[in-house]
Amino acid sequence: MENKKRCAWVNEQNELYCDYHDREWGTPIRDDGPMYELFLLELFQAGLSWITILKKREAFRAAFDGFDVDKIAAYGEEKVVSLLQDAGIIRSRSKIAAAISNAKIVISLRQEFGSFCGYLWSFSNGKVVMNPETGYRATSPLSDRMSADMRRRGMRFAGSVTIHSFLQAAGIVNEHDADCFRYQEIMETLQESSVIYE
Ligand SMILES: [Zn+2]
């Protein structure tokens, strides 16, 4: 593993970060469970470093009922108060409130599109989006479109930068560096027809 070339942003001194990069980041997710988990974690990440969230991930899992969207959507004030006292997570009232209201919207998307993944992947017709010519980018045409639609539906903490970061993590966008070993591994799992360049 140590000899493999990774994306330049990966801190190779940190095993948790390497592991996340090697096994999760950029790998296309097609199941609602892991997809919603990342979506919720991205909301809490806003303004903080991703490693901070990764370190707290298991505390989040315990605090948020294993990332069960139906349970989260039903949280009341009593649960909010207990979350605000949980030192293991990010104790932000506005983020906790947004997580609860967003969970309700995720449930309505699931009803409308069959699944949360069905909604998210509909923006690229189920295809992985990439653009090797842009290099690093904080947003993409895809994240602009999705963010606008989510905000229209009332989603909070759903700006284009946050959504682009989420899409990269969820593998709807493949933005591993072209010389990262995961770039090629992911491309090998995809057919030419399941990639679009945008
Ligand atoms: Zn990479």
Side-chain angles (χ1 to χ4, degrees), residues 5-7 9-10 21 25 176-177 180-183:
K5 175 102 175 111
R6 295 186 171 91
C7 289
W9 54 264
V10 178
H21 166 272
W25 192 83
H176 280 282
D177 292 350
C180 169
F181 81 96
R182 283 297 292 151
Y183 178 91

Side-chain angles (χ1 to χ4, degrees), residues 30 117-130 142-143 145-146 167 171-173 193-198:
R30 307 271 181 183
C117 284
Y119 166 74
L120 297 167
W121 283 100
S122 73
F123 287 85
S124 63
N125 294 317
K127 297 178 183 197
V128 171
V129 173
M130 52 191 299
L142 176 66
S143 69
R145 289 200 303 278
M146 195 182 291
L167 294 173
I172 297 178
V173 168
S193 60
S194 30
V195 179
I196 50 171
Y197 296 87
E198 173 181 89

Side-chain angles (χ1 to χ4, degrees), residues 83-116:
L83 288 170
L84 285 168
Q85 290 164 351
D86 188 337
I89 65 165
I90 306 296
R91 292 182 285 179
S92 155
R93 183 175 272 280
S94 65
K95 287 181 177 177
I96 291 168
I100 297 168
S101 64
N102 283 1
K104 293 176 180 151
I105 297 167
V106 169
I107 289 170
S108 71
L109 291 170
R110 196 174 66 192
Q111 286 159 351
E112 187 177 341
F113 292 85
S115 64
F116 184 39

